Amino acid sequence: MFEIFESKPVVRRAVEITESDEIAPIDNIRAVFIRGNQRIEYTRAAEEADGDFIIKESDDDIYHCPRAVFEQKYRPMNNTGLTFGEAIEAAKSDKKIARKGWNGKNMFVVYMPPLKLPPYNTTDTARKVNDRTAKFIGEDQPLDCQPYFAMYNAQGQWIPGWLASQTDMLAEDWCII
């Protein structure tokens, strides 16, 4: 009858409210958070907001979140300590990811989204299959490249098709570069 679902990871931006920030009530359900020249209107859930957070969703919804709830639900993604799954979600959100020990060597991994290009022999002047690729798939074949991960290694080389080792997959020292 019921199926089991889990929440997809969502990347959110947040700012902590401090004593030096101004909170200006608009009415009994809305307020304005003011820091310097930044003004953000949000739904206010509490009168005492010091130490709480203002959260911005990926769809630009902005709301207030009490500190206790925030600390229970979220952790910073710019620190080390991400699981492989969290790192993958960050990579799929256009972030460069790496293991903590890689950073000194300027190594990172990125997600390459799908790429579709018209055939090499098309008369269109827009991007199309290059001659190197057309040599293998044919001049009259469009390119349908599926997503993959690529690594930039310590030697400054681009390595498409990177695969994580079991050690990488089980590590919890991933970070966002």
Side-chain angles (χ1 to χ4, degrees):
M1 180 167 176
F2 285 98
E3 292 184 49
I4 298 173
F5 292 87
E6 67 179 354
S7 298
K8 292 181 180 178
V10 177
V11 176
R12 293 179 171 90
R13 297 182 184 276
V15 62
E16 183 178 0
I17 300 170
T18 65
E19 288 180 13
S20 61
D21 295 319
E22 182 183 341
I23 303 293
I26 297 174
D27 53 38
N28 56 349
I29 56 170
R30 291 180 302 142
V32 174
F33 164 79
I34 303 165
R35 177 177 287 170
N37 62 359
Q38 185 177 21
R39 301 172 64 85
I40 300 171
E41 185 175 325
Y42 69 99
T43 302
R44 183 178 59 197
E47 291 295 321
E48 288 294 320
D50 187 32
D52 290 351
F53 288 82
I54 302 293
I55 296 177
K56 181 178 179 183
E57 297 276 354
S58 55
D59 61 2
D60 289 336
D61 282 346
I62 296 173
Y63 58 91
H64 169 266
C65 184
R67 174 176 282 287
V69 173
F70 186 85
E71 289 177 346
Q72 182 180 20
K73 293 179 76 173
Y74 305 108
R75 70 176 176 181
M77 286 188 67
N78 58 350
N79 296 333
T80 59
L82 299 178
T83 65
F84 185 58
E86 291 165 333
I88 294 296
E89 290 300 321
K92 289 169 80 177
S93 296
D94 290 332
K95 306 284 190 248
K96 293 190 240 181
I97 59 171
R99 299 275 311 277
K100 184 179 180 185
W102 293 356
N103 261 349
K105 300 174 185 164
N106 296 318
M107 295 170 57
F108 58 86
V109 173
V110 295
Y111 172 78
M112 302 300 282
L115 175 64
K116 295 184 186 296
L117 294 174
Y120 173 81
N121 65 2
T122 187
T123 57
D124 190 0
T125 58
R127 280 184 69 194
K128 57 186 176 180
V129 172
N130 63 30
D131 57 348
R132 183 176 73 172
T133 304
K135 172 182 166 184
F136 296 106
I137 67 172
E139 291 186 2
D140 59 344
Q141 290 296 316
L143 179 67
D144 183 359
C145 182
Q146 298 303 298
Y148 62 94
F149 288 97
M151 173 185 260
Y152 188 78
N153 70 15
Q155 293 75 38
Q157 298 167 321
W158 196 244
I159 312 295
W162 174 79
L163 296 174
S165 68
Q166 287 192 27
T167 303
D168 290 332
M169 289 186 272
L170 296 172
E172 294 188 8
D173 66 348
W174 285 92
C175 58
I176 298 172
I177 306 296

